[in-house]
Amino acid sequence: AKQGIEADGVAFYSQDMNQGMHERMRIESGLRQALGNGQLLLHYQPKFSIQDGTIIGAEALVRWQHPERGMVPPAEFIPLAEATGLVVQVGEWVLEQACAQAQAWKRAGLRPIRLAVNVSAREFTQALPGRVQETLRRYGLEPSWLELEITESTLMHNIDRVIGIMDRITALGVALSLDDFGTGYSSLSYLKRFPIDTLKIDRSFTTGIPTDANDCAIASTIISIAQQLKHRVIAEGVETVEQLAFLKSAGCNEVQGYLYSRPLPAAEFERAVREKWTVGVKAA
Ligand code: C2E
Ligand code: MG
Ligand code: MG
Ligand code: MG
């Protein structure tokens, strides 16, 4: 009987795997086409200064406008693109598109806005600083228009090599932020060596504020570490005024989240800047 169960189990498992593989191949070839077909687009989520409430930047977030499936969120294709390496081409497209948009905004007289682009570990190579520099030059952009968000997984490989790449990027004047901070494995002893501007408190911690004492403690501690290391600190996933109030009193510099804005199509983000959207909270 045991054999039967195992045989069934194996049969079921391999069929499952087969389906998984087909699904992956389907998504991968679709994504390859999407890159050439203009099916990818960027949305821009405002980042607000807590101090004066104004928009200080935006995070560019990729979407896949699929002809049948509608708007596909990055969670459904970025992990796969990372596994296959296709994320490098996606990343090239995203940087190109974000800079083209920044140039359009600059020409339209919009005040300077720092656009943050997410960069996967696989894109974080010796070729990246040169590509960033060349792209900024081609679009006639000052480096202050751009920021790169990297995650702790990027920092786990060859630390000296990674720091060398980071140094070359910051030497251009392009800011680096450490995304989803606290969810990965980076060690505090390395943190002091990274030439980063900003720590980004992960949404999983923001969510528990102000009711979960542990999340409050973690968020406060990250803010304190950032202050000590002379980094800026932003909280992502801010959805309530209570969270904003807590973060403000804890000394957080910036916020990003559904409370004030979801990621927006380019035209709507531009309107948000022109209409001077602000976040605000009464002093605690
Ligand atoms: P991330 O870089 O941590 O981006 C933040 C995610 O949180 C975004 O999801 C954003 O829409 C979402 N978010 C922001 N505020 C709130 C909030 O208040 N509540 C909730 N529930 N969610 C909020 P999105 O756009 O689905 O992106 C998911 C992830 O996909 C990103 O996480 C990032 O890791 C990856 N990603 C997105 N665009 C790119 C890209 O161009 N390149 C790369 N390599 N990865 C990307
Ligand atoms: Mg990000
Ligand atoms: Mg994040
Ligand atoms: Mg996150």
Side-chain angles (χ1 to χ4, degrees), residues 82-180:
E82 283 173 339
T84 60
L86 196 57
V87 76
V88 174
Q89 279 104 293
V90 173
E92 284 173 9
W93 181 85
V94 171
L95 179 66
E96 193 73 25
Q97 180 60 29
C99 289
Q101 184 61 68
Q103 180 190 55
W105 280 331
K106 189 180 166 180
R107 287 184 172 164
L110 202 68
R111 68 178 165 82
I113 289 295
R114 198 185 274 282
L115 296 186
V117 165
N118 290 283
V119 174
S120 295
R122 289 183 81 138
E123 301 174 66
F124 210 78
T125 64
Q126 301 290 353
L128 185 63
R131 189 156 59 79
V132 167
Q133 183 176 30
E134 185 273 327
T135 309
L136 288 171
R137 186 193 50 73
R138 192 152 34 79
Y139 286 102
L141 293 170
E142 292 74 29
S144 55
W145 279 87
L146 188 64
E147 172 179 357
L148 302 183
E149 294 192 5
I150 60 177
T151 61
E152 287 162 285
S153 57
T154 303
L155 311 174
M156 282 178 56
H157 304 287
N158 178 340
I159 220 72
D160 292 316
R161 180 178 152 279
V162 165
I163 290 176
I165 299 170
M166 293 172 98
D167 282 336
R168 288 173 57 205
I169 290 168
T170 53
L172 299 172
V174 171
L176 283 174
S177 61
L178 198 43
D179 204 355
D180 304 337

Side-chain angles (χ1 to χ4, degrees), residues 7 20 40 50 68 83 102 105 113 138-139 172 189 196 214 250 252 279:
L40 295 186
I50 294 187
E68 287 119 39
W105 280 331
I113 289 295
R138 192 152 34 79
Y139 286 102
L172 299 172
S189 64
I196 51 170
N214 292 334
C252 190
V279 305

Side-chain angles (χ1 to χ4, degrees), residues 13-56:
Y13 184 62
S14 64
Q15 194 194 3
D16 217 44
M17 253 178 55
N18 224 339
Q19 273 181 5
M21 223 160 71
H22 275 118
E23 172 73 2
R24 284 175 54 134
M25 283 168 61
R26 204 172 57 81
I27 297 176
E28 196 195 346
S29 73
L31 184 55
R32 236 176 244 292
Q33 286 179 315
L35 270 163
N37 282 352
Q39 288 174 14
L40 295 186
L41 77 162
L42 294 181
H43 280 179
Y44 299 86
Q45 186 176 35
K47 295 182 180 186
F48 296 89
S49 154
I50 294 187
Q51 189 64 41
D52 66 6
T54 59
I55 293 174
I56 42 106

